[in-house]
Amino acid sequence: MEDKEIFLQFLAHDYSAGYWSDVAILEAGKLAKPLPAADWIILCDAWRSYEPLVQARIAEVAGDVTPWRDEIGAMLISMLASDDPDVVEASVDSLHQQYQAVPQRFNREHLAESLKSVSARSGVAGIALGELRKKLK
């Protein structure tokens, strides 16, 4: 089985929310680390074909992918238009994380425009969204 398929199966597993956020996300990051650029390009093109849970987890892990790829940034920005609030919040968080680290990776005007219609349910995502909007002004 390919590394990409193992990664996707890992993301699709039914973890409790606490286990995912405390343990499994770290393991997912370890599985994502060796994925070649070609696999990330495929994931970025196909993210809409996965279940919302997997989409959100791809977004969460994508924020830590190195080396960063423009396709990942484009995918995260596209995820802002998702109907699933968990996908939106995960993409906001990863975009905020990456923008803090290396703001020159992004077209500020495009990102600011993409964030205009975004709202966040959780306090953490709301804070990240607010901070990202401030930085883009």
Side-chain angles (χ1 to χ4, degrees), residues 24-88:
I25 193 169
L26 298 174
E27 292 302 314
K30 289 177 188 174
L31 291 171
K33 190 171 185 113
L35 291 178
D39 283 350
W40 273 105
I41 291 170
I42 291 167
L43 288 169
C44 290
D45 286 341
W47 72 268
R48 288 177 183 86
S49 67
Y50 306 121
E51 296 293 320
L53 174 72
V54 174
Q55 293 176 8
R57 289 178 175 174
I58 288 171
E60 287 180 271
V61 173
D64 292 324
V65 171
T66 54
W68 180 259
R69 305 207 41 88
D70 290 340
E71 293 87 358
I72 294 172
M75 174 190 67
L76 291 170
I77 290 171
S78 295
M79 287 177 161
L80 294 172
S82 173
D83 291 333
D84 188 279
D86 292 331
V87 174
V88 173

Side-chain angles (χ1 to χ4, degrees), residues 67-129:
W68 180 259
R69 305 207 41 88
D70 290 340
E71 293 87 358
I72 294 172
M75 174 190 67
L76 291 170
I77 290 171
S78 295
M79 287 177 161
L80 294 172
S82 173
D83 291 333
D84 188 279
D86 292 331
V87 174
V88 173
E89 290 184 5
S91 63
V92 164
D93 190 46
S94 286
L95 285 165
H96 177 253
Q97 178 181 344
Q98 283 298 317
Y99 192 84
Q100 275 188 296
V102 189
Q104 62 270 25
R105 287 184 177 147
F106 297 93
N107 175 318
R108 291 173 55 101
E109 292 78 25
H110 177 64
L111 183 54
E113 185 65 30
S114 299
L115 290 170
K116 280 186 178 177
S117 63
V118 174
S119 62
R121 293 179 309 174
S122 75
V124 173
I127 291 168
L129 181 59

